[in-house]
Structures are given as structure tokens and as C-alpha cells.
Amino acid sequence: MASLAGLSRRLARAVPFRPLRWPLEEPVVAFTFDDFPASAAENAAPALEDAGMRGTFYLASGLIGARENGQQIASLAQVEALSRAGHEIGAHTHGHIDVQRTPAEALAADVEDNGLAIVGATGIAPTSFAYPFGIVSLRSKRALMTRYLGLRGIAGGINRGTIDLAHLRAQELYDSTSSGFIAALLDRLERSGGWLIFYTHEVCPDPTGIGCTPAHFAATVAQVRRRGIRVETVAATLGRIGATGAAP
């Protein structure tokens, strides 16, 4: 069973379920946050706003006000404030569940609860989704791909050429991600075009291995800003490239 589950994950990453030819000539960057910790709202959102940018905050609504991985998760008031400020609140399941292991009916109920919670907080139905833990399988990918315009994983790299709307690539932005690596990635983005989606979790002075410091985050924002690369929410880019919710 373990080998079959691993094969399902590998195939789900490799096989495009909703292919789309990248249509934009200009490069685009998105900053995204999973779960999302209160520190992302407190430290990352102001850095983006000061640069005239907005981010995508993927909310596991069942975690609101709780702690996850040692981090305080954003409050309902913070979720509402981010939405009012023009940031996107994306879907991330209600219970922060492993979508591969969750039975189909339970998965459908969970993401429905997540969507209702996001609408209740923001008045806007979520149009993009991030797979919790980056885990995707053939079954869950097929079950979820028509619910959202785009679904984001954690497979690194830049989305260009033929992209998979059901499993968008994303690049980790952790404290271990060096500024030199980020600069080289942005060089490639400017040279060849495409869509670079950064993701992280907490943004605080003493992050875990899946977060970054405010200084590192601000430096990355500054790098992007100096280059004049367009930054927008995942939902905004999905709208501009003509993504639709129905599978081909």
C-alpha cells in the first residue's frame, strides 16, 4: 500500500490534469503563505503593502486562533483585515488534512466547510487552493481540480510553457533559501518568463525550518521590486491567464 501511495503522489505531480499554455510575456511573482501563522499577517503583509504588493494567504479555517507546528495561527480578525486590504484568502482545507489519506466524502465535506468559512470571513469564495503538506495524489487531485481555478503544490521551479493548473509549481522561501539562489531564480524568470510562486509559513524572528525571518522576507520583496517584476495574488494571475474551474 505504501508503494502504491508513493506512486500515486509521483504520478499526480508528473501528469498534468489541467494543462494550460502559459500566455503572458511578462514575468509574474506571487508570495504565498500556508496555514497561515499570525506572524505572516503581522510581518509579511505590511512588507508587501509598503511595496505596493499583495499576497495570497492559504487558510486552514479549522486552525483559526489555534497553534500549529508551534506557531500561533491567524485570528478571524486578521483574516478579515487582510481581505479588506486586498490580499487573497485561499483555500487550504478546513482541518489541515492529508488529502491523500482522507476518504472522498470526508474530503468533499472538509473543503466545503473551508470554503464556507472563507466566504463568511471575506465575502469572497476562494478560487485558489494549496495542498496541505504539499501532498497530492491522483484521486485527490481529480476530486479537487474542478473546485478551484488553480491548485498549488510544493514542487519547485517556475511555471512556464505548459503549466498544470491542478498542480502549480512553487518555490520555498525559508531562511535556508539563500539570497543568491533567489537572485539566480529571478534572473531565470526575467530571462525566460513565467510565473514564480514563493511559499512559506511563519515570518518571525525565530522561524522553524519552514518559515523565514522578517528581514529575509523583506530582502526578497526588495529584490523583486528593484527588478520591476509584477507581483500579484494567485487569484489575480489566474484571472489574467483565463483559468477556468472546469477540467478540460
Side-chain angles (χ1 to χ4, degrees), residues 143-205:
L144 295 170
M145 68 180 186
T146 57
R147 286 181 170 265
Y148 309 97
L149 298 182
L151 300 93
R152 200 220 74 206
I154 58 170
I158 298 170
N159 298 282
R160 65 161 66 97
T162 298
I163 69 174
D164 184 5
L165 292 173
H167 191 243
L168 295 166
R169 293 182 174 275
Q171 180 60 53
E172 65 185 38
L173 178 54
Y174 299 160
D175 243 33
S176 58
T177 315
S178 73
S179 58
F181 177 83
I182 292 169
L185 199 60
L186 293 172
D187 285 343
R188 287 168 47 203
L189 180 68
E190 288 188 300
R191 184 169 57 248
S192 302
W195 187 12
L196 175 56
I197 304 174
F198 287 111
Y199 74 92
T200 193
H201 295 77
E202 72 274 5
V203 181
C204 64

Side-chain angles (χ1 to χ4, degrees), residues 74-86:
S75 66
L76 180 59
Q78 287 175 312
V79 173
E80 294 169 344
L82 284 175
S83 180
R84 287 196 301 270

Side-chain angles (χ1 to χ4, degrees), residues 23-50:
L24 303 180
E25 293 185 4
E26 64 172 338
V28 184
V29 165
F31 289 97
T32 70
F33 309 86
D34 290 1
D35 298 349
F36 59 92
S39 63
E42 294 162 354
N43 298 319
L48 290 171
E49 292 166 14
D50 287 347

Side-chain angles (χ1 to χ4, degrees), residues 79-109:
V79 173
E80 294 169 344
L82 284 175
S83 180
R84 287 196 301 270
H87 299 280
E88 176 190 1
I89 306 300
H92 198 46
T93 75
H94 178 72
H96 199 234
I97 57 176
D98 179 339
V99 299
Q100 182 177 27
R101 295 177 179 273
T102 304
E105 288 187 8
L107 176 59

Side-chain angles (χ1 to χ4, degrees), residues 210-222:
I210 57 171
C212 68
T213 63
H216 190 39
F217 184 81
T220 303
V221 170

Side-chain angles (χ1 to χ4, degrees), residues 230-243:
R230 181 173 185 145
V231 175
E232 61 189 6
T233 66
V234 172
T237 302
L238 290 169
R240 289 205 300 129
I241 65 177

